[in-house]
Amino acid sequence: MKPGRPGDPDFDERRAKVRDKLEGLAGAKGGDERQDWFARVYREAGNDPAMVPWADLAAKPQLVSWLEENPGNGEAAIDVACGLGDNAEAIAEAGYYTIAFDMSEDAVRWAIQRFPSSQVEYRVNDLFDLPSDWDGAFALVHECFTIQALQGELREKAFPAIASLVAPGGVLVVIGWVGASADHTGPPWPLTEAEMGRFESLGLERIETLEFEAVRAGGKVIPHQMVVFSRPD
Ligand SMILES: C[S@@+](CC[C@H](N)C(=O)[O-])C[C@H]1O[C@@H](n2cnc3c(N)ncnc32)[C@H](O)[C@@H]1O
């Protein structure tokens, strides 16, 4: 793996350089080839995480803080569309038996390679074709930045697919960009408050909302939320 992490000048330069190339590939702006675009980003990255624009190489701090308050004791957790695995590793370290899946074989291979002593069970799975025994099976479900990366029919299907994983008495933690300025064009396509509310119409109850800001390259400040839902017993 090439050296560096976000914030290192050389890493940031490599990431900035690849942006135009990735934005020019089929599926970059949505449409039928969107799923293939993700797979291609990982495949063509050549093991350099600077080539994967969303790879922070660290778990989300808001998730880490939540896990400190809500540690596991062997309960089953799942990280939806896990990318390079940092969030899944934090969940496992907090005491949950953790499955993490992504549809990209290269992402899953790379996550396993990055964390050779991992306790996480990494899997190649499609959010839209989940194993039937995952239905209602997880005490903790974590989703970060996947819904906002999808559009149209796939996005519509993402809400019930993610909600289906939550066990009775379990919780869903959703992290994403919520609320966009009028002139914003995706991707990503930020969630609306109404979309966040869709999890409530799928039988979950909102129990916590944390608003925070993420600062992107160029100093752009972006409103985010971490919302925690629970499924009644
Ligand atoms: C923006 S990235 C976020 C990755 C990770 N959750 C994170 O926070 O860094 C979106 C991820 O969703 C994955 N993905 C897209 N469609 C998927 C699907 N149908 N099933 C599983 N993973 C999918 C992509 O491969 C990619 O890793």
Side-chain angles (χ1 to χ4, degrees):
M1 187 158 88
K2 288 204 177 148
R5 51 192 316 109
D8 295 348
D10 179 58
F11 185 101
D12 289 350
E13 200 181 315
R14 293 201 305 281
R15 181 162 281 181
K17 272 190 193 153
V18 83
R19 239 170 241 285
D20 284 347
K21 180 197 144 193
L22 296 181
E23 285 179 10
L25 299 179
K29 305 288 184 197
D32 292 346
E33 286 158 298
R34 184 68 177 156
Q35 303 279 279
D36 296 339
W37 180 80
F38 286 109
R40 196 164 165 191
V41 170
Y42 291 111
R43 194 165 60 241
E44 297 187 3
N47 253 25
D48 181 359
M51 304 293 130
V52 181
W54 50 86
D56 287 350
L57 304 184
K60 294 288 174 290
Q62 296 74 20
L63 172 66
V64 173
S65 298
W66 186 87
L67 288 166
E68 281 167 9
E69 299 293 318
N70 299 274
N73 188 19
E75 296 90 342
I78 191 158
D79 188 29
V80 172
C82 61
L84 298 188
D86 298 273
N87 293 319
E89 293 296 318
I91 295 168
E93 277 167 27
Y96 292 88
Y97 176 79
T98 307
I99 294 178
F101 74 95
D102 201 285
M103 61 169 291
S104 159
E105 283 177 33
D106 292 286
V108 169
R109 174 195 48 74
W110 197 346
I112 293 169
Q113 177 192 315
R114 289 183 66 218
F115 302 104
S117 317
S118 180
Q119 300 296 307
V120 175
E121 183 181 334
Y122 285 103
R123 302 260 310 247
V124 177
N125 281 98
D126 182 351
L127 176 61
F128 306 119
D129 187 17
L130 295 172
S132 57
D133 59 346
W134 286 6
D135 195 33
F138 296 93
L140 169 60
V141 178
H142 173 251
E143 137 60 9
C144 177
F145 291 1
T146 312
I147 300 170
Q148 69 187 45
L150 301 171
Q151 240 191 342
E153 195 187 334
L154 293 177
R155 186 177 178 108
E156 287 301 304
K157 290 195 299 186
F159 293 92
I162 292 168
S164 76
L165 296 163
V166 186
V171 296
L172 166 65
V173 177
V174 180
I175 297 178
W177 178 353
V178 181
S181 57
D183 60 348
H184 174 78
T185 54
W189 301 275
L191 281 89
T192 62
E193 289 286 353
E195 283 184 312
M196 219 25 125
R198 287 201 49 196
F199 286 114
E200 288 161 296
S201 62
L202 290 161
L204 302 173
E205 290 174 1
R206 186 187 285 233
I207 55 174
E208 193 181 330
T209 303
L210 172 73
E211 297 188 350
F212 63 99
E213 289 175 337
V215 182
R216 291 282 177 263
K220 192 172 176 195
V221 176
I222 300 179
H224 280 68
Q225 291 184 9
M226 181 182 76
V227 181
V228 184
F229 300 89
S230 72
R231 184 181 292 290
D233 275 315

